[in-house]
Amino acid sequence: MSTMTREELDEMLKANPHLKQVETPETGSFREGFKKKFAATKKEFKRLSQAPNDPKTPFKTKYEARKLFEDLLGELLIGRVGVVQESQAAAAAPAEGETKTADERGFLEELGGMQAEMELCLAENYYDTEEISRGYDYLFRSLEWYCPKSAQKLFDPTHTFLDAEMVRIRKHAVNVLHNLNLIGAIKSGRGEPDEALVVLRKADDLYQDIVSTGAVDTQAGASAAASKSPEKSQHRAIAEKNVFTLFFLAQVYGAKGDAKGSARYCKSTLERQYLENISFSWREWFTNAVGIVDFCMTTGGSLLEVAHAWLWVAWQIQLSGLAAEADENESDPDEERLTANKKLVAEWHRRAALVKLNAFRIKRSEKIGYDPGNHAAFRLP
């Protein structure tokens, strides 16, 4: 994202009525105070975004959060003009220009990162308040800072992220992956599954590249700062984003009518959720696992063995979840919850009976066939 002139900035502010018009701050005070102000505003933005609301005004606090960041974004854009002007003046003074210019470049890079993160947060805010088009615009504005050239070819399946962009991408990996996930989700929601698949596959490939090379900037990401082990925290954060990538891929393949592709990514999502305890809810996990069982059972053949395996895992998850809930609610039993639990147990037994029946029928008719090429993707580790 290139630096803007005052004229270009004015045009941007005019085009975005939500940005607050403020006076250009004195450069020294802006440098000293803006990072602290950004951190404090970010914390409040998160609090408001997650706050409960009255059903009659479901987005009230999200609108309040939005105004915080849009006002701050306006201050950043205007304050950056003064920094650029000072940098240009320093470059013209040979005695100290080289050192000062390097400092200014570093600060401008920091401002760019803060701007891209605010734009990403605002994109998600608009997405959550069902203003998808405006959120989509913010997503691309954010992505263009992280990878300006690749963003222009985002939907080209033959294009990969450029090496020159990877330093910045790795430093902000969590935000980049989250950005790509949201773009994929929006494209899928708009009935454009092919473009959604391109973006989500790129997100998955990017995650695999980062993990395989170990190239994670341990200073990036909000959770890393608060952790005793920043590197583990950062790896955990990008792993969480990848779980959502896999989840969206399962949905998109399902929307395209590709049951096998959907089942493959659903299986990968469930394995990651369970093995790494990422976004894990036993009830939701059980429901999705039953979907895998249904697919394997319908497909038949050797996949019936996989159905048996998944049923066993689902049973263990269900038992542990029920036991944990019983311990938590021992003194305050909830009849509605207990009834729901009984239905889940009955559902498992029904599926188990169907799987056993299908396996028996196929065995009797000697129609079991095994094709590794078709079924290898569904073997459990």
Side-chain angles (χ1 to χ4, degrees):
M1 187 179 294
S2 58
T3 54
M4 292 178 289
T5 64
R6 163 61 77 175
E7 290 75 19
E8 290 171 333
L9 178 58
D10 286 344
E11 288 303 312
M12 183 176 181
L13 290 171
K14 289 175 184 176
N16 187 345
H18 295 284
L19 293 180
K20 178 182 178 182
Q21 295 283 358
V22 297
E23 295 296 324
T24 304
E26 192 272 323
T27 304
S29 62
F30 179 71
R31 284 178 62 108
E32 293 172 5
F34 190 81
K35 284 193 284 187
K36 290 182 179 179
K37 188 171 185 179
F38 169 72
T41 306
K42 181 179 172 180
K43 184 176 181 180
E44 180 65 6
F45 179 92
K46 183 177 180 180
R47 186 191 70 79
L48 288 170
S49 297
Q50 297 174 345
N53 284 286
D54 188 300
K56 294 180 180 179
T57 54
F59 302 139
K60 180 178 180 293
T61 57
K62 283 183 168 56
Y63 292 147
E64 293 172 1
R66 178 188 301 175
K67 187 175 187 307
L68 286 178
F69 258 0
E70 289 191 326
D71 286 354
L72 191 64
L73 182 56
E75 292 182 33
L76 182 150
L77 293 172
I78 293 173
R80 188 167 62 183
V81 171
V83 177
V84 172
Q85 291 172 343
E86 185 177 273
S87 178
Q88 292 170 343
E96 57 177 349
E98 187 173 334
T99 302
K100 252 195 163 181
T101 302
D103 290 342
E104 300 298 347
R105 280 199 299 268
F107 183 57
L108 287 172
E109 178 75 9
E110 287 186 78
L111 287 178
M114 287 185 276
Q115 178 180 342
E117 186 171 354
M118 280 193 279
E119 289 166 342
L120 175 58
C121 290
L122 286 168
E124 187 170 19
N125 178 284
Y126 277 102
Y127 182 86
D128 289 342
T129 58
E130 302 173 6
E131 300 168 80
I132 308 299
S133 294
R134 189 61 180 278
Y136 188 78
D137 292 341
Y138 267 118
L139 279 175
F140 256 91
R141 189 182 298 175
S142 172
L143 192 65
E144 284 172 354
W145 183 81
Y146 295 121
C147 47
K149 291 185 178 179
S150 294
Q152 301 305 316
K153 296 184 178 181
L154 187 61
F155 304 111
D156 179 354
T158 65
H159 180 81
T160 57
F161 294 103
L162 303 178
D163 289 343
E165 299 170 331
M166 288 305 295
V167 172
R168 185 179 280 176
I169 288 175
R170 289 189 180 109
K171 184 175 181 179
H172 303 277
V174 176
N175 288 344
V176 174
L177 291 171
H178 188 41
N179 195 315
L180 295 173
N181 283 344
L182 287 175
I183 290 175
I186 289 174
K187 281 293 183 180
S188 177
R190 287 178 171 177
E192 302 172 60
D194 292 333
E195 291 191 338
L197 282 181
V198 171
V199 176
L200 293 170
R201 282 172 179 160
K202 286 186 177 183
D204 191 35
D205 289 344
L206 178 61
Y207 168 78
Q208 300 300 336
D209 176 67
I210 291 171
V211 170
S212 64
T213 59
V216 178
D217 188 317
T218 59
Q219 299 305 312
S223 58
S227 172
K228 293 181 180 179
S229 179
E231 185 173 357
K232 288 184 179 179
S233 178
Q234 184 69 354
H235 276 286
R236 172 80 176 180
I238 65 171
E240 289 174 352
K241 298 305 177 188
N242 183 246
V243 166
F244 282 102
T245 303
L246 299 175
F247 173 76
F248 288 137
L249 279 166
Q251 285 192 322
V252 174
Y253 274 108
K256 285 174 65 66
D258 185 342
K260 184 175 180 180
S262 181
R264 181 186 301 112
Y265 280 106
C266 185
K267 170 180 172 291
S268 298
T269 304
L270 294 175
E271 288 175 342
R272 293 284 300 284
Q273 283 182 315
Y274 176 58
L275 295 174
E276 301 181 38
N277 193 26
I278 294 175
S279 303
F280 179 77
S281 162
W282 78 265
R283 287 175 178 278
E284 181 182 341
W285 195 96
F286 177 82
T287 300
N288 290 327
V290 165
I292 292 288
V293 171
D294 285 347
F295 173 80
C296 294
M297 189 167 57
T298 302
T299 304
S302 61
L303 288 191
L304 282 170
E305 298 176 11
V306 179
H308 277 295
W310 275 93
L311 272 170
W312 184 85
V313 174
W315 178 243
Q316 301 305 310
I317 295 295
Q318 188 181 64
L319 287 179
S320 60
L322 290 170
E325 280 196 357
D327 290 341
E328 291 175 5
N329 301 281
E330 185 176 5
S331 60
D332 184 25
D334 184 330
E335 289 299 325
E336 185 175 341
R337 177 179 53 78
L338 292 175
T339 300
N341 289 346
K342 289 178 181 178
K343 288 182 178 179
L344 280 176
V345 173
E347 183 66 21
W348 182 88
H349 283 293
R350 188 176 74 84
R351 285 255 181 352
L354 286 173
V355 170
K356 290 177 181 178
L357 177 61
N358 280 11
F360 175 74
R361 285 174 173 171
I362 291 176
K363 189 174 181 179
R364 278 197 66 175
S365 59
E366 297 181 347
K367 291 182 179 179
I368 292 181
Y370 181 56
D371 181 353
N374 288 335
H375 303 315
F378 295 96
R379 289 178 182 169
L380 292 179

